[in-house]
Amino acid sequence: ENKIDDWIADVLGEVLKSRAEQATATSPDDESLGLRICLHGNAIARQLLGKMAEGVPATSKDSVECEMFLFQDGACVQRDLSSYFDQYLLDGGKGQLKMWQVGLDAEGATQIASFIADDRYKVDALDLCENTIGNRGIMAIAEAFRSNTTLRALSACYNGIESSGFVALSSSLLASNSSLQVLDIGCNLLFNGEEGDTALSTIQQLISVGRLGYLSLSNTGLNDEDCELVADALACESSILQFLNVSSNVITCDGMEALCVGLVQNTSVRYLDISHCRIADDGLAVLAECARIRATRNVPFVSVWLHGNDFDSSDLPPCFLAAAFSYDSIMEIIDKYLQ
């Protein structure tokens, strides 16, 4: 998010080229030497990409992850997307496409969807967080899921997605896709308006169908009444959900009590994030009892995040974490789950 001009890009390119050559010469088969470059938000000059292409030998290209995308008016301004997919994702590439905060709009998402639909590229994880793809963009991604069989993780938080877009995505997942295990759709207003109930119904199906292991509904408009429907899905024996994030929603003690009805019967959830809600001491007591019952049934919580609520955090059970967790720790949980 700086203003890198041609001269700086040229110098940086030389540094990257030299570093890549040294790493390859020292240990050409060591993927831990892979370099990640985060340049989102910069209109990087094309010669930087040229230097990278010259400097990274073919044997180590798959160990280099470059977050060097910037979209303007629906087009990727740095590179031809087709060549990128061919170079990094075709024939055994890593399959992880990180496009976080790159100015991706609905038009750009439509381009990405065309590659997602092509299983030759074996896209395994797609991060579209903090863009503006909106309903039209997520609907394009949803259509791609109908023919995709490789994508296991999708993160589309902060994208202006509403109920209708989420319903289209969920319907596609339920009808045609059985590979997705991780879904982060947080910070989009999903449960509001006329289609909010339909969106909530699809959430129930996604949880109960037994495919998702990680689901983030953070800041999506969930309320106490919605928690009753989520709890019904958690109670299904077929659910394999391990991580549930319902943080930053309007959930009070009533909602916490409703969730616990499902969590007491659930045997899969290990990580629960209910931070930044409106849960007071009564709700905490209900959750503590839920945790006690689960522990006696040998299905204890590993971690429960509670920071930002309205209770006394001085005497919490061991698995209850009053402090915030880092983004890296959540990524570690997801990576461990996918492995």
Side-chain angles (χ1 to χ4, degrees), residues 49-329:
L49 298 173
K51 294 292 183 182
M52 282 297 298
E54 295 170 10
V56 184
T59 56
S60 68
K61 279 185 178 178
D62 282 344
S63 66
V64 179
E65 298 180 20
C66 302
E67 296 183 5
M68 293 191 295
F69 296 94
L70 183 68
F71 283 76
Q72 292 178 350
D73 299 325
C76 185
V77 299
Q78 280 99 351
R79 62 176 65 186
D80 175 65
L81 284 178
S82 179
S83 64
Y84 173 82
F85 272 79
D86 286 343
Q87 181 177 355
Y88 287 96
L89 298 177
L90 195 61
D91 297 329
K94 284 184 176 296
Q96 297 182 355
L97 184 58
K98 299 178 176 65
M99 309 195 81
W100 169 72
Q101 204 181 56
V102 296
L104 191 69
D105 59 10
E107 292 296 333
T110 301
Q111 294 184 52
I112 299 302
S114 66
F115 295 102
I116 301 301
D118 190 339
D119 272 356
R120 291 181 306 148
Y121 294 108
K122 297 178 174 60
V123 180
D124 180 66
L126 177 62
D127 185 351
L128 301 176
C129 281
E130 297 194 44
N131 289 293
T132 57
I133 68 173
N135 281 345
R136 191 157 64 91
I138 200 64
M139 285 177 178
I141 299 294
E143 188 61 29
F145 270 122
R146 296 189 180 278
S147 54
N148 176 280
T149 61
T150 63
L151 193 66
R152 295 193 298 162
L154 171 65
S155 183
C157 58
Y158 290 103
N159 263 289
I161 299 167
E162 298 175 343
S163 302
S164 58
F166 177 68
V167 169
L169 175 65
S170 300
S171 300
S172 181
L173 292 174
L174 291 166
S176 310
N177 182 282
S178 60
S179 63
L180 194 74
Q181 302 169 32
V182 172
L183 177 60
D184 180 358
I185 198 72
C187 300
N188 294 292
L189 193 56
L190 305 181
F191 308 113
N192 192 27
E194 295 181 358
E195 292 199 63
D197 290 342
T198 305
L200 192 59
S201 176
T202 61
I203 283 292
Q204 281 187 291
Q205 296 176 62
L206 285 173
I207 294 175
S208 60
V209 77
R211 295 175 188 169
L212 287 182
Y214 177 105
L215 177 63
S216 175
L217 300 173
S218 174
N219 195 19
T220 52
L222 275 175
N223 59 33
D224 289 343
E225 186 177 346
D226 300 334
C227 287
E228 296 178 10
L229 299 179
V230 174
D232 289 343
L234 291 173
C236 292
E237 293 183 0
S238 55
S239 173
I240 62 170
L241 195 67
Q242 295 183 24
F243 191 114
L244 176 62
N245 183 350
V246 292
S247 65
S248 300
N249 285 298
V250 189
I251 299 175
T252 69
C253 296
D254 290 340
M256 187 71 263
E257 185 172 352
L259 281 175
C260 285
V261 171
L263 288 169
V264 164
Q265 301 177 63
N266 176 277
T267 59
S268 62
V269 173
R270 292 291 186 273
Y271 301 90
L272 177 65
D273 184 0
I274 51 171
S275 59
H276 294 287
C277 292
R278 301 180 184 179
I279 302 168
D281 290 339
D282 289 347
L284 178 62
V286 171
L287 180 59
E289 178 63 13
C290 172
R292 185 193 67 78
I293 295 173
R294 287 176 59 97
T296 61
R297 297 172 55 204
N298 202 30
V299 285
F301 291 122
V302 174
S303 297
V304 179
W305 288 274
L306 295 163
H307 54 283
N309 278 290
D310 303 327
F311 51 73
D312 181 7
S313 61
S314 60
D315 188 24
L316 293 176
C319 72
F320 287 13
L321 307 178
F325 55 81
S326 69
Y327 181 75
D328 287 342
S329 69

Side-chain angles (χ1 to χ4, degrees), residues 2-72:
N2 294 292
K3 295 182 179 179
I4 297 181
D5 59 22
D6 291 354
W7 180 82
I8 296 177
D10 195 51
V11 172
L12 182 57
E14 290 292 344
V15 172
L16 297 175
K17 177 180 177 181
S18 175
R19 177 185 171 95
E21 289 173 342
Q22 292 174 10
T24 303
T26 303
S27 185
D29 297 324
D30 187 355
E31 288 200 0
S32 67
L33 297 175
L35 182 64
R36 175 180 293 175
I37 309 161
C38 299
L39 295 169
H40 51 270
N42 283 297
I44 304 302
R46 288 183 179 274
Q47 54 261 49
L48 174 56
L49 298 173
K51 294 292 183 182
M52 282 297 298
E54 295 170 10
V56 184
T59 56
S60 68
K61 279 185 178 178
D62 282 344
S63 66
V64 179
E65 298 180 20
C66 302
E67 296 183 5
M68 293 191 295
F69 296 94
L70 183 68
F71 283 76
Q72 292 178 350

